[in-house]
Amino acid sequence: MKDKKKTIVMFGDSLTDYFPMDKLQDIDADIINSGVAGDTIAEMGARLSYDVYPYHPDIIIMQGGANDFLMSLYPGAKPLAERLIRLALRIRKQLPDTKIYIESMYPAYTKRIGLMPSWAEGKSNEEIQKINTWIKKLCKENDFNYIDVFSHLIGADGQLSREYTVDGIHLQDSAYEIVAEILICGGVYGK
């Protein structure tokens, strides 16, 4: 008897929503993209019952927090990380057999882009790294798998490499190639 295909839910904000799913076409799994552009962590939590739970996934790959970080009411590194982990704990309570991976926040390009400001202008990658430090620590404490995407996308100048973004936050195709490689080689999609 052939094993049932795994079901994987990618759950997050626009960075997940815009993920070019063809980059994962060689993965032998049913992959559902449950990213919604503009979502904060609270908004992600509000759609668990229709964007995550019904699929009873074997694996969830969570990515979130960018919109919480960009808002004028940014709560700080530790509270943002705690929101993300609380969301993962809610999922675990509902789906105890699901393996949950939590991605680091991605770096940003915080300088002006030509005549246009970056969406992340006035923000800093040092602060994003503080958030990631908390996410990683809380993942370890709560037995979640942490995936470091940040260090693979950050340039030598401490910015999201310019060729990876149009607006300072959202990724170009070449950056998604790297993210896909991290997810595949990082064992998320295991054989």
Side-chain angles (χ1 to χ4, degrees), residues 6-91:
K6 284 184 179 176
T7 300
I8 299 168
V9 169
M10 295 179 68
F11 182 49
D13 54 35
S14 61
L15 293 165
T16 295
D17 191 7
Y18 303 158
F19 194 103
M21 298 305 286
D22 62 320
K23 298 202 179 307
L24 304 174
Q25 66 188 2
D26 294 334
I27 305 303
D28 187 28
D30 292 321
I31 305 173
I32 294 113
N33 185 323
S34 287
V36 172
D39 265 12
T40 61
I41 295 167
E43 290 165 324
M44 287 169 61
R47 55 190 181 83
L48 287 172
S49 62
Y50 55 89
D51 270 352
V52 176
Y53 298 154
Y55 298 110
H56 299 282
D58 299 285
I59 295 170
I60 294 171
I61 301 165
M62 270 180 61
Q63 166 282 313
N67 292 305
D68 302 72
F69 175 65
L70 294 172
M71 291 185 328
S72 59
L73 298 175
Y74 167 59
K78 185 179 179 191
L80 191 155
E82 288 171 338
R83 287 178 187 174
L84 198 60
I85 299 303
R86 275 196 305 273
L87 181 57
L89 289 167
R90 278 179 58 197
I91 296 169

Side-chain angles (χ1 to χ4, degrees), residues 105-172:
M105 285 194 40
Y106 299 4
Y109 187 85
T110 62
K111 301 173 183 174
R112 290 186 80 76
I113 301 170
L115 297 174
M116 295 183 58
S118 162
W119 279 27
E121 195 169 359
K123 298 292 185 174
S124 79
N125 283 300
E126 292 81 10
E127 188 65 19
I128 294 173
Q129 263 307 62
K130 286 181 192 170
I131 298 166
N132 287 337
T133 298
W134 277 107
I135 294 172
K136 185 176 183 179
K137 180 182 187 310
L138 294 169
C139 279
K140 187 173 183 176
E141 288 174 8
N142 291 280
D143 198 29
F144 291 116
N145 300 286
Y146 175 77
I147 304 170
D148 174 21
V149 176
F150 183 95
S151 67
H152 297 276
L153 295 178
I154 193 85
D157 62 352
Q159 297 285 321
L160 172 62
S161 296
R162 179 63 187 91
E163 71 268 17
Y164 291 161
T165 186
V166 179
D167 59 15
I169 295 292
H170 297 104
L171 301 183
Q172 300 259 39

